[in-house]
């Protein structure tokens, strides 16, 4: 039976360029260097979508032709929060668009047998409660790691939290959306499901190992 989730809180970033790059990312023949570059590029596309509602304000500028009123992002604080390790691969893609964002880190690994997340590190900007948080992790599988990360951020006072992954399983979407009624999730693909080892199918394998060459 299909796994149900609230699709109104999920944005699939499915621009043709994204789909093309994701196919290369999935291919088992794609090596570490290209994999890393593609994760960064896809994170950039996702950050573009996830910041579509940033508020603007008017500013007076002078072009070489005349003075005019133009738009700039009004003072809005952002933080990018990678879930270690694989989330690190997405950080620079977000910072390419938002260089002033602060970076928090959440260390989490999934037990290979139970698939339960284990937290081993956390360091966030002190004013995280005032920031729009873009949590990044390429893989949303069972949703255990995402749920733990979201719960940690909420406990630290974060109110505006968006989760950016590259591939999501319906099971992970359902779990994270149910655990956190306010989060919005951005993904490049909703895949078929999980295999017996709780890997995403068809997925792309172990994202951390492919980013860091630790296969
Ligand atoms: C992977 C991935 C997510 C998690 C997803 O990390 O990057 O954090 O698994 O699985 P879940 O939705 O079932 O929790 P992993 O634990 O392999 O650690 P790594 O990033 O250090 O490789
Ligand atoms: N973690 C990964 O890196 N890949 C999966 O498919 C599931 C969890």
């Amino acid at each position: 039976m299909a796994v149900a989730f609230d699709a109104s809180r999920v944005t699939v970033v499915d621009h043709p360029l994204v789909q093309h790059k994701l196919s290369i990312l999935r291919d088992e023949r794609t090596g570490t260097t290209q994999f890393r570059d593609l994760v960064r590029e896809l994170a950039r596309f996702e950050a573009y979508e996830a910041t579509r509602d940033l508020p603007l304000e008017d500013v007076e500028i002078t072009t070489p032709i005349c003075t005019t009123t133009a738009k700039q992002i009004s003072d809005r604080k952002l933080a990018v929060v990678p879930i270690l390790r694989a989330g690190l691969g997405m950080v620079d893609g977000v910072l390419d668009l938002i260089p002033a964002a602060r970076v928090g880190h959440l260390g989490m690994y999934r037990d290979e047998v139970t698939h339960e997340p284990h937290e081993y590190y956390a360091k966030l900007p002190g004013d995280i409660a005032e920031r729009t948080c873009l949590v990044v992790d390429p893989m949303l599988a069972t949703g255990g790691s995402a749920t733990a990360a979201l719960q940690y951020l909420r406990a630290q006072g974060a109110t505006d939290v968006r989760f950016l992954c590259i591939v999501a399983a319906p099971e992970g979407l359902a779990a994270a959306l149910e655990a956190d009624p306010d989060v919005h999730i951005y993904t490049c693909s909703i895949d078929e499901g999980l295999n017996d080892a709780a890997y995403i199918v068809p997925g792309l394998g172990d994202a951390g190992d492919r980013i860091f060459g630790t296969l």
Side-chain angles (χ1 to χ4, degrees):
M1 204 173 68
V3 176
F5 58 84
D6 180 359
S8 70
R9 291 198 285 137
V10 179
T11 299
V12 180
V13 182
D14 59 358
H15 188 285
L17 287 170
V18 168
Q19 294 188 52
H20 178 85
K21 289 171 191 294
L22 178 57
S23 300
I24 303 171
L25 194 74
R26 289 187 192 275
D27 193 322
E28 65 177 4
R29 295 169 301 179
T30 299
T32 295
T33 308
Q34 192 181 13
F35 192 92
R36 206 180 282 148
D37 288 347
L38 286 165
V39 167
R40 177 178 179 153
E41 276 189 85
L42 290 170
R44 202 182 301 147
F45 281 108
E46 291 207 294
Y48 183 80
E49 284 302 327
T51 53
R52 195 173 266 288
D53 63 346
L54 286 183
L56 294 167
E57 63 188 8
D58 289 341
V59 282
E60 286 280 294
I61 59 163
T62 305
T63 75
I65 309 299
C66 67
T67 295
T68 187
T69 304
K71 301 286 183 193
Q72 71 175 18
I73 306 258
S74 57
D75 189 25
R76 180 76 167 261
K77 295 166 144 188
L78 280 111
V80 50
V81 182
I83 301 178
L84 309 183
R85 275 177 313 167
L88 288 174
M90 296 176 71
V91 172
D92 285 345
V94 179
L95 292 178
D96 287 341
L97 290 190
I98 313 158
R102 299 294 161 86
V103 183
H105 294 86
L106 292 179
M108 208 125 359
Y109 72 89
R110 204 172 73 142
D111 184 281
E112 284 184 13
V113 177
T114 65
H115 311 133
E116 290 294 316
H118 291 270
E119 297 169 28
Y120 60 87
Y121 184 76
K123 184 75 183 172
L124 298 174
D127 58 354
I128 195 73
E130 296 160 32
R131 292 183 178 271
T132 294
C133 300
L134 305 180
V135 183
V136 294
D137 188 333
M139 309 307 279
L140 180 59
T142 66
S145 306
T147 297
L150 293 167
Q151 284 171 344
Y152 184 84
L153 278 169
R154 296 297 187 193
Q156 303 307 307
T159 54
D160 183 356
V161 184
R162 303 153 192 217
F163 188 90
L164 282 58
C165 59
I166 291 177
V167 179
E171 292 88 338
L173 289 169
L177 292 168
E178 190 181 332
D180 189 321
D182 292 321
V183 73
H184 193 98
I185 299 179
Y186 296 82
T187 183
C188 299
S189 170
I190 301 174
D191 276 15
E192 290 162 23
L194 301 173
N195 66 13
D196 290 343
Y199 271 77
I200 300 174
V201 179
L204 48 77
D206 190 306
D209 282 344
R210 295 193 69 185
I211 290 169
F212 295 108
T214 49
L215 287 167

